[in-house]
Structures are given as C-alpha cells and as structure tokens.
Amino acid sequence: MDKLTVLGTGYAMATRCYNTCFILENAAGALLVDAGGGSGILRQMESAGKDWRVIRHMIITHAHCDHLLGAVWVLRKIGTMMQSGAYEGDFSVWCHSSVREALCAMAGATLQASVTRLIGGRIRFTDIGDGAAHNLLGCDAVFFDIRSTKLLQFGFTLTLPSGKKLACLGDEPFQPVCLPYIIGADWLLCEAFCLYAQRERFKPYEKNHSTVRDACELAKRLRIPHLVLWHTEDKNYDERQALYSREGREYYSGDLRVPYDLDVISLV
Ligand SMILES: [Zn+2]
C-alpha cells in the first residue's frame, strides 16, 4: 500500500463531514476500511475520483452504524456491477462473524436477491478473530481485538511492501494489551474525538474516546513516526486541522496528520 485516501473523518453523528472510513491502495488494487453510515459512501467515492473496480477488499472493524451501514451500499454497488459485467473477479469482505451476520441480514432485507445471491460466491466473506493473519493485496495483515468496552471491534496492522508497518486502532482508546500488535509501527491511525483542552465541552472520556493529546502521547511513547487523527467531533470542522495540530505539537514531535475528507496521504 502506498496511498491512503481519506473518505471520511467524522464521528458517528457528524454532519459537516462523512463518518471515518478510508481506502488503502497499491498497484494490485484497493482496500476499503469501513464504509460510513450510508449512501454517502457513494458520494465520497465519486468525489475522491475512485473507481469501484479497483476496490477488491473491504474490512469492517465493528458493527456500529457509522461504520457498517455504508457497507450495505457497497454490496449493492459492487453486486450490481458484477451482474452487469462491470466488475471483474471476486470482492472480499473481512470482518468478525457477528458483523457478517448483521450485514448479511440487512442486505437480505434491503437488497435485491440478484445481489444477495452473490454473497458466498463472488462476494466472499472471511471471518476474522484476534491474531488472524491474512494477505491482502500482497501485504501481510494481522487483525486484533481492540478490547472494546462497548462492542467487539477489530483493529489491524498491515506490513507494506517497503517493510513499513501501518496500524489502525479503530475508534476507541488504545488498550495496553494490544501493544504487541502495534509495536514497531511506522504509521498509527488513531481516533481523537476532540482537543484535550475541550474535554469539558465534548466529554470524550464519557463516550470512551481519546483526545488529541492522548493520541499524541501514545504515539510519542511508542516512538511511532507518523500519526493520523480522525473520527472527530465536527463543531470545529473548519479550524480542526489548525487547532488539533497546535495541541498535538505540544505532545508529539513526529509527523502529525489531521486530514480532511478526501485528503490523500502518501505512505511511501
Ligand atoms: Zn465510530
């Protein structure tokens, strides 16, 4: 993977941006990670100039609506393209069995049989568990249970062809028990719901989320050179990059990214 395209950067209830989801890609194709909360995924893909034919895989971290509901639209889009001959080969979905069951139930209730018939055929699900290792687009991927206190959720690491390691922590605070997975990571993709300075206003800890300061202190402690922050509140959307970067720099001297929707990050 050499390129990360950010499709959304917001938390579940964000209205000024799409819910946090993104694409990782290399010459072999692209991997979509989560799909946001609805048909907005179609718009974000179009706005990003992405061709659905290159999306070969989808990881769904957990079954909350801001990550899963867009996946119904992804199945509809790719399934319809398969039927019309516009999508070649198989499409692989990686998630826990509980997420698969929820997604397949929704797909069965809301999509045409001509699309849902492809599930188990050209739309291929693989159940993931803690420590599951697979190869996606030529990169070694390892999934790990982030030990969510709310709902079973998986993060993952990917070893890029360059040897660099990318770690996605999902949308909850890092649990030390997951350290063996992310040790040595070069890129850390981490939620930061709001500024530490605005914790009284946004109440991140009550919602089981991190602040910019928390994420930056974690990256500093683990000596991770690149840090991407997202899954944020959206009240500060226009100034978010400046505000979050300013607070982050007090606690972390590495490469801090606070992307907007549709930003592209080079991982090379
Ligand atoms: Zn979320």
Side-chain angles (χ1 to χ4, degrees):
M1 311 288 170
D2 43 29
K3 195 162 109 178
L4 188 165
T5 301
V6 182
L7 295 179
T9 55
Y11 82 125
M13 300 299 281
T15 55
R16 296 178 197 181
C17 54
Y18 194 54
N19 310 118
T20 297
C21 58
F22 57 98
I23 292 170
L24 293 163
E25 65 189 296
N26 60 20
L31 154 69
L32 173 65
V33 181
D34 289 332
S39 66
I41 187 66
L42 305 177
R43 181 192 172 122
Q44 295 307 95
M45 283 286 291
E46 188 172 296
S47 301
K50 290 293 163 200
D51 185 336
W52 283 97
R53 289 174 297 183
V54 305
I55 308 288
R56 312 308 309 180
H57 300 270
M58 174 167 63
I59 292 173
I60 306 171
T61 58
H62 65 300
H64 279 156
C65 61
D66 56 319
H67 300 261
L68 179 61
L69 296 188
V72 177
W73 292 92
V74 172
L75 296 187
R76 177 176 170 155
K77 180 69 187 179
I78 290 181
T80 305
M81 290 176 72
M82 283 176 171
Q83 284 179 287
S84 68
Y87 186 99
E88 288 175 12
D90 294 346
F91 176 62
S92 299
V93 185
W94 307 83
C95 60
H96 186 260
S97 58
S98 58
V99 179
R100 171 176 50 77
E101 284 163 12
L103 178 55
C104 290
M106 284 191 297
T110 61
L111 301 181
Q112 290 186 7
S114 56
V115 169
T116 54
R117 257 200 305 271
L118 296 164
I119 294 173
R122 290 181 63 195
I123 298 177
R124 211 152 31 94
F125 279 79
T126 304
D127 292 348
I128 59 171
D130 194 29
H134 296 278
N135 193 280
L136 277 67
L137 299 173
C139 299
D140 289 328
V142 179
F143 295 94
F144 61 93
D145 181 343
I146 70 158
R147 312 298 170 114
S148 166
T149 56
K150 294 191 286 198
L151 178 69
L152 183 64
Q153 178 171 170
F154 287 83
F156 63 89
T157 62
L158 274 181
T159 303
L160 313 180
S162 61
K164 291 196 171 152
K165 182 166 145 181
L166 174 144
C168 172
L169 297 184
D171 74 352
E172 291 189 33
F174 174 72
Q175 301 290 345
V177 68
C178 299
L179 186 62
Y181 289 110
I182 71 163
I183 203 90
D186 298 278
W187 286 87
L188 188 64
L189 314 180
C190 189
E191 59 99 17
F193 183 62
C194 64
L195 295 171
Y196 180 74
Q198 293 187 327
R199 63 194 181 285
E200 296 299 328
R201 178 178 170 198
F202 290 111
K203 312 255 186 284
Y205 303 124
E206 287 174 24
K207 299 181 176 81
N208 198 33
H209 285 313
S210 308
T211 65
V212 172
R213 175 181 172 172
D214 300 325
C216 286
E217 286 181 336
L218 173 68
K220 180 181 179 176
R221 194 165 68 243
L222 300 180
R223 296 195 178 84
I224 297 175
H226 306 277
L227 174 64
V228 178
L229 301 182
W230 50 27
H231 204 278
T232 76
E233 52 81 20
D234 65 340
K235 298 294 176 285
N236 286 305
Y237 190 68
D238 291 340
E239 302 80 35
R240 183 180 67 188
Q241 194 167 61
L243 289 172
Y244 285 29
S245 298
R246 192 183 313 145
E247 179 171 290
R249 273 195 296 272
E250 290 178 43
Y251 304 98
Y252 175 66
S253 58
D255 173 29
L256 175 61
R257 309 293 182 97
V258 185
Y260 281 109
D261 287 21
L262 307 178
D263 279 0
V264 176
I265 295 173
S266 169
L267 301 173
V268 194

